[in-house]
Amino acid sequence: MTNLLLEWIIKTLVILLILVTAVAYVTLMERKVMAWIQMRVGPNRVGLGKFKLWGLMQPLADGLKMIFKEDIIPLQANQWLYVLAPAISLVPALMTFIVIPYGSEITLFGRTIELHVTRLNVGLLYVLALTSVGVYGIVLAGWSSNNKYSLMGGLRSSAQMISYELALGLSIVSVVLYSGSLDLVEIVDAQRGFHGLAWNIFHYPLLILVFVIFYIASLAETNRTPFDLPEADSELVAGYHTEYSSMKFVMFQMAEYLNLITASSIATTLFFGGWNGPSVGRLPFLGPVYFTIKVLALIFLAMWIRYTVPRFRYDQLMRFGWKFLLPASIVNIIISSTVILFTR
Amino acid sequence: MGQEKLLFIIFAVIAIASALNILLQRNPLYSALSLIGTLVALSALYVTVRAEFIAAVQIVVYAGAIMVLFVFVIMLLNAPGNQLQLERQKGLRYLAIPFAGLMIAEMFYVVLSIRLSTLPPVPAANAEQAVGTTWSIGTSLFTDYLLPFEVTSVLILMAVVGAMVLARREGE
């Protein structure tokens, strides 16, 4: 019991450290990709002393800068909720990752260690539940700042997340129907075989359509362009975090990038075989490598979309969510159920 | 067993404290947030009795969707504390006493009739058929409780159609 507890604590800490570092470097990746798409160089100066290291120390410098910024709480703001809001948006974002498997199992110091923190038989619902709780951070930030732009950002965000959560949840149903489980570990295990390429998306070609719906909905859930209306710069200054500064602002940014990482990980797990890949059965340590590569590819896709697609108008966003994505995902469930009924 | 009991006490206290806070707060937004606290604590209690599905659905449906709408409406209206309305309904305050007494009597009746029993231990081999998992809930919904399930879905459909009719403007 104590050993198991220790293992959990160590795994959780390692995941936490990796996630926080990953968030820092995803921001650097975002700036580099943006620069590349816009034919610029991007941050390339911050290194160790004389060595520039292609700007790899930029996240560290950014972090230090943000810590030493002045922490401002507006006088007319609701003090309690203003301080609480960044935490509410960051904590669920960090919590989602414990159910995502990132490898099969490896032997370390004579112990067999499964490469996932824990498994729940409702793992997928757990992730959905946490994403739906995360919206409160944004909504409360918008309300407690006592600023019109912030309030507009918060309201838009809650409306957007309610609308797109439906399409997100319904698109996942098809995958659950094929896999027969809500446990993410089992969903990945079902995709083993055929030289590690029996991924859901190859196995069931219909899922390509589902993946497109899922990906669009998850972009909207993570408030990324073309769905970044809650923080539309040209209309709302910075939306819900207009009044925030210093580490509170960083916490919102971290939550946003964490959500991006989580969404990409879930997409990898559901559609692209999780940690499965060629010869992963013989070399288990390749699991996390494949997983990371796939997640990074999906994150790159999100960035690519961000810097090449213009922002939606608000009514277009709502119409698209309710009148296209939602019916499309319901039709998908019907087709998937019919296919399963006649093939099994 | 000791750990489970400790978790139960912690979350039960949180649930009751935030439930009281719903009533004691004058600001509607604080009441809504306390309600979310109660729902989250209840969901944690469901986990301690191994009803993970109910726990997750509780958060997804109530805390994640319905309460977001509540908070949305409160923020949109930005309702101030309605002191005036409270004063006007002073007569109702005396009506509350018998109703509260009735409620407490009812609660005692229910609590006293509960038999002290624990869940039967689940063998590891068919853990997914245990009470409270997705498998068992799905199975009983589509076999034993099929009629109530279908009737409920028709009821929800009626509500959706009703909302459409009410929200539609003339001439569209």
Side-chain angles (χ1 to χ4, degrees):
Chain A
M1 188 65 207
T2 331
N3 263 337
L4 199 64
L5 204 64
L6 196 67
E7 194 184 313
W8 277 345
I9 291 171
I10 291 171
K11 271 185 194 168
T12 315
L13 283 180
V14 168
I15 286 286
L16 207 63
L17 281 179
I18 290 176
L19 275 182
V20 172
T21 320
V23 165
Y25 278 92
V26 168
T27 60
L28 179 66
M29 178 179 164
E30 173 117 274
R31 293 171 71 177
K32 281 283 191 189
V33 171
M34 166 167 55
W36 180 55
I37 289 175
Q38 297 171 347
M39 292 209 248
R40 296 185 286 114
V41 181
N44 67 341
R45 291 302 159 108
V46 188
L48 286 173
K50 260 179 149 180
F51 306 100
K52 297 279 184 264
L53 294 177
W54 314 280
L56 274 180
M57 289 294 131
Q58 183 71 37
L60 199 69
D62 283 345
L64 277 176
K65 181 193 124 186
M66 294 314 282
I67 289 173
F68 289 116
K69 285 268 179 182
E70 186 183 356
D71 189 15
I72 300 166
I73 299 181
L75 273 180
Q76 295 294 309
N78 187 317
Q79 313 279 326
W80 267 92
L81 294 179
Y82 185 82
V83 176
L84 199 63
I88 295 179
S89 72
L90 181 60
V91 171
L94 280 172
M95 278 167 70
T96 28
F97 222 81
I98 64 165
V99 290
I100 298 171
Y102 45 89
S104 54
E105 48 189 34
I106 53 166
T107 315
L108 212 64
F109 309 121
R111 264 181 81 93
T112 311
I113 295 172
E114 291 181 318
L115 289 180
H116 49 83
V117 178
T118 184
R119 58 188 300 172
L120 299 174
N121 60 20
V122 290
L124 211 45
L125 287 177
Y126 169 84
V127 174
L128 282 181
L130 285 176
T131 39
S132 60
V133 170
V135 66
Y136 284 115
I138 293 172
V139 173
L140 290 178
W143 187 79
S144 66
S145 300
N146 203 3
N147 174 327
K148 281 177 191 140
Y149 295 124
S150 302
L151 184 67
M152 285 303 297
L155 288 177
R156 280 183 180 186
S157 169
S158 51
Q160 179 177 326
M161 289 187 107
I162 292 173
S163 311
Y164 280 79
E165 220 166 61
L166 290 169
L168 190 78
L170 287 178
S171 66
I172 287 174
V173 169
S174 310
V175 183
V176 175
L177 282 175
Y178 285 119
S179 314
S181 175
L182 284 168
D183 185 349
L184 290 173
V185 179
E186 263 176 50
I187 290 176
V188 175
D189 279 344
Q191 301 176 48
R192 291 175 105 149
F194 197 66
H195 307 291
L197 284 176
W199 304 352
N200 271 343
I201 203 145
F202 297 145
H203 205 158
Y204 311 104
L206 268 176
L207 282 181
I208 294 171
L209 211 61
V210 181
F211 170 69
V212 172
I213 295 172
F214 175 86
Y215 200 72
I216 293 173
S218 66
L219 279 183
E221 283 283 302
T222 49
N223 292 331
R224 287 188 66 87
T225 321
F227 305 102
D228 65 340
L229 286 141
E231 44 184 308
D233 327 43
S234 51
E235 311 156 26
L236 297 180
V237 189
Y240 61 91
H241 55 56
T242 303
E243 296 287 350
Y244 281 86
S245 64
S246 190
M247 281 314 275
K248 293 201 191 75
F249 173 73
V250 176
M251 280 163 88
F252 280 120
Q253 291 292 308
M254 280 177 73
E256 201 179 310
Y257 282 104
L258 275 172
N259 284 334
L260 176 63
I261 294 174
T262 313
S264 306
S265 313
I266 297 284
T268 306
T269 308
L270 294 182
F271 299 100
F272 299 103
W275 43 264
N276 282 308
S279 72
V280 78
R282 274 181 290 121
L283 305 164
F285 68 88
L286 275 179
V289 176
Y290 285 131
F291 184 75
T292 316
I293 290 172
K294 289 174 194 173
V295 171
L296 280 179
L298 284 174
I299 292 176
F300 177 76
L301 183 58
M303 289 174 181
W304 193 358
I305 292 170
R306 176 166 182 171
Y307 295 111
T308 44
V309 179
R311 182 180 299 135
F312 274 99
R313 220 170 49 220
Y314 193 66
D315 57 318
Q316 292 171 333
L317 173 100
M318 283 298 156
R319 195 181 308 137
F320 183 67
W322 287 100
K323 294 192 174 169
F324 176 73
L325 277 191
L326 189 64
S329 46
I330 292 173
V331 167
N332 254 315
I333 293 177
I334 297 171
I335 294 174
S336 304
S337 331
T338 318
V339 168
I340 289 170
L341 191 69
F342 285 110
T343 53
R344 287 192 193 160
Chain B
M1 205 59 204
Q3 285 170 346
E4 266 177 33
K5 201 168 260 179
L6 187 69
L7 284 177
F8 172 79
I9 291 170
I10 292 172
F11 286 111
V13 168
I14 293 175
I16 292 172
S18 23
L20 280 177
N21 205 29
I22 299 170
L23 303 175
L24 296 177
Q25 289 292 344
R26 283 287 160 84
N27 189 334
L29 188 67
Y30 288 162
S31 294
L33 292 178
S34 311
L35 185 51
I36 296 164
T38 313
L39 292 170
V40 172
L42 279 182
S43 141
L45 287 180
Y46 290 139
V47 174
T48 60
V49 292
R50 294 195 220 116
E52 286 108 349
F53 181 77
I54 305 279
V57 166
Q58 167 107 348
I59 300 281
V60 172
V61 175
Y62 288 101
I66 293 178
M67 287 314 293
V68 172
L69 276 181
F70 269 55
V71 172
F72 185 90
V73 169
I74 292 171
M75 275 170 39
L76 205 61
L77 299 178
N78 220 349
N82 283 336
Q83 292 288 13
L84 275 173
Q85 274 195 342
L86 280 177
E87 292 304 312
R88 234 186 289 150
Q89 295 165 345
K90 218 167 189 174
L92 283 178
R93 199 175 287 181
Y94 301 103
L95 205 62
I97 296 167
F99 273 108
L102 200 69
M103 177 91 178
I104 290 169
E106 198 178 355
M107 249 171 65
F108 264 101
Y109 178 73
V110 172
V111 169
L112 287 178
S113 63
I114 290 175
R115 283 178 297 110
L116 277 177
S117 63
T118 48
L119 285 174
V122 184
N126 50 1
E128 67 169 15
Q129 294 176 17
V131 183
T133 57
T134 317
W135 188 91
S136 65
I137 289 174
T139 311
S140 43
L141 265 189
F142 285 100
T143 53
D144 299 344
Y145 301 101
L146 186 60
L147 186 66
F149 177 73
E150 295 291 347
V151 169
T152 315
S153 50
V154 170
L155 193 71
I156 293 170
L157 184 67
M158 274 161 61
V160 172
V161 173
M164 287 291 292
V165 170
L166 286 178
R168 223 179 60 151
R169 289 188 215 105
E170 286 298 318
E172 260 183 52

